[in-house]
Amino acid sequence: MNNDQLFKSQARVLDEDLTGRASTAGADALLAQIVSLEPALEPAPARRRLMPTPRRALLGLAVAAALAGAIVVGPSLFGASEQVYASQAVTIDRVGDEYAFYFTEGDPDPAELKKAFHKVGLDNLTVKLIPVSPRQPPGSVFGFEASDHGAKATFSGDSCPERVEDCLTAFSVTADIKGPAEVRLGRPAKPGEKYAYPADAGWPGEALEGVKLQGLSAAEAARVVREHHLKVSYGLDWPLRNGDTGTRFEEDVPVSRIDPGWQVATAETFNDGVIVLHVVPDPSATPPPGF
């Protein structure tokens, strides 16, 4: 059984369990702290899942990847501590029953990290680097996955410079992890590399740098995208019902379901030549089942 199978068999929450889940106003505030193709052939049925974007509170990978291991977010994690390891890329402290990691490189060498983990006895811990937009703030994509139900990880991007100069991101993990565990960190994508998670298409250096599509009609926004020789994909942002505040996101929506007059909320890119337009349905529109 490989690690992926082991993680999945032990996981409390799987990706499919998050399908169609909503983002609440509180969740939106959280991510603010950290971060179908228009069919030429027969349109495929729309898929529904929670999309991690800079305006949605998913803590990057954290919500989707908090499987068997618990994950916590806090503005300040680390109190009294003792340094047990230091290199150019990472400093490790022992804090009670946890190890705290402070990263000073945005794209650390996995071999160096493995060496660091071995030095403190965390041979079961590995790091997977996820390609994200180079414009993403360091540490804005973070996740933890473990077969040990008692293991936990705690993330903080705010307090790490207080402990280590030039620190970019920091997290702590349970010192006594039983079984394999994986930490996932965002790294700047290489030129032409597809992002694992979307970025704002209008950010500097992105496909529509300086172009504002928010507030345009779906038809007008699609025209602008095509003028830049890019393809268009659609998602629908359905407001929660029954008096709840927040949004539920439906992705890969065929163009046949998009009213040309509906307004665009955001435009995202995976750096693959496609711009995902997130459209807000008219209040009178009928959502699909589950929305």
Side-chain angles (χ1 to χ4, degrees):
M1 177 180 292
N2 60 33
N3 282 357
D4 288 340
Q5 292 172 322
L6 178 58
F7 288 147
K8 191 165 185 178
S9 67
Q10 297 292 330
R12 296 174 185 164
V13 183
L14 299 177
D15 288 343
E16 51 264 35
D17 297 325
L18 296 173
T19 300
R21 295 287 292 275
S23 172
T24 66
D28 286 334
L30 178 60
L31 184 64
Q33 295 174 11
I34 0 184
V35 218
S36 85
L37 286 173
E38 193 167 349
L41 301 175
E42 191 69 18
R47 291 185 293 119
R48 304 179 179 89
R49 69 180 175 90
L50 198 63
M51 288 290 293
T53 76
R55 69 189 180 88
R56 298 169 193 161
L58 298 182
L59 181 55
L61 286 173
V63 172
L67 302 182
I71 191 164
V72 181
V73 182
S76 180
L77 304 175
F78 314 119
S81 59
E82 176 187 359
Q83 180 176 305
V84 293
Y85 181 86
S87 70
Q88 182 176 341
V90 61
T91 296
I92 306 176
D93 286 355
R94 180 65 185 251
V95 187
D97 62 353
E98 296 182 340
Y99 283 112
F101 297 82
Y102 309 87
F103 287 84
T104 49
E105 289 186 358
D107 190 5
D109 181 358
E112 182 178 351
L113 296 183
K114 183 176 180 179
K115 176 183 176 182
F117 297 157
H118 177 72
K119 288 287 187 180
V120 297
L122 289 175
D123 294 321
N124 289 325
L125 184 65
T126 59
V127 169
K128 183 176 182 179
L129 300 175
I130 307 295
V132 298
S133 168
R135 271 62 63 179
Q136 290 272 23
S140 60
V141 174
F142 172 81
F144 178 65
E145 197 173 47
S147 60
D148 181 358
H149 287 201
K152 72 173 183 177
T154 310
F155 170 81
S156 174
D158 296 334
S159 63
C160 71
E162 301 171 7
R163 172 65 183 87
V164 176
E165 185 178 3
D166 299 324
C167 182
L168 298 175
T169 189
F171 65 87
S172 68
V173 297
T174 306
D176 184 21
I177 297 178
K178 300 175 179 63
E182 181 179 82
V183 172
R184 298 172 182 172
L185 295 174
R187 63 159 177 81
K190 299 176 176 63
E193 185 178 16
K194 184 177 179 179
Y195 304 153
Y197 288 86
D200 191 311
W203 280 352
E206 297 297 350
L208 293 177
E209 177 178 352
V211 177
K212 184 179 180 181
L213 299 182
Q214 183 177 7
L216 296 181
S217 69
E220 179 65 11
R223 182 187 64 78
V224 173
V225 171
R226 295 190 189 97
E227 286 178 350
H228 286 77
H229 308 290
L230 298 165
K231 298 178 181 179
V232 180
S233 176
Y234 295 99
L236 287 174
D237 294 2
W238 294 97
L240 297 181
R241 299 180 180 265
N242 301 321
D244 293 330
T245 301
T247 305
R248 193 182 294 273
F249 309 106
E250 182 183 5
E251 66 171 330
D252 293 341
V253 178
V255 65
S256 60
R257 291 185 51 211
I258 303 297
D259 187 308
W262 290 347
Q263 285 193 339
V264 171
T266 56
E268 298 171 343
T269 177
F270 286 86
N271 197 35
D272 59 355
V274 180
I275 302 299
V276 183
L277 298 179
H278 283 271
V279 179
V280 179
D282 185 88
S284 61
T286 301
F291 286 82

